[in-house]
Amino acid sequence: MRALGIKRLNVKYTSCGALHFKGEKTSGTQPTPFLSTCCKQGKVRIPFLSEPLQMLKDLFTGNHEKSVRFLKNSRQYNAAFSFLLF
């Protein structure tokens, strides 16, 4: 079986600071790569997330009675919610 050769996320995009794989760049040099799938060269700005609800923190940290079930099924929850529009 051949290895895929996926390396680390080590290319930092200058417009937004997002980390990408070296193979994702479409042009530019290593210090200033151009990534067409990123933030549209700084035109898209997503604000940092605010502090999560206490219940959600408790579910993730094991401090809730339903934490075990939540953590066991978190991938399914994520997949289900990824198609919702808010």
Side-chain angles (χ1 to χ4, degrees), residues 33-74:
F34 175 71
L35 300 151
S36 62
T37 60
C38 198
C39 64
K40 300 283 186 190
Q41 296 177 301
K43 294 176 186 160
V44 175
R45 299 262 182 215
I46 299 174
F48 286 105
L49 296 174
S50 59
E51 193 70 20
L53 297 172
Q54 186 62 44
M55 181 179 169
L56 192 56
K57 282 167 98 175
D58 290 344
L59 284 166
F60 274 107
T61 58
N63 295 322
H64 191 279
E65 62 185 28
K66 296 184 179 180
S67 287
V68 173
R69 182 178 175 172
F70 175 79
L71 293 171
K72 180 182 172 189
N73 297 302
S74 62

Side-chain angles (χ1 to χ4, degrees), residues 25-38:
K25 78 177 188 134
T26 55
S27 66
T29 62
Q30 180 65 23
T32 56
F34 175 71
L35 300 151
S36 62
T37 60
C38 198

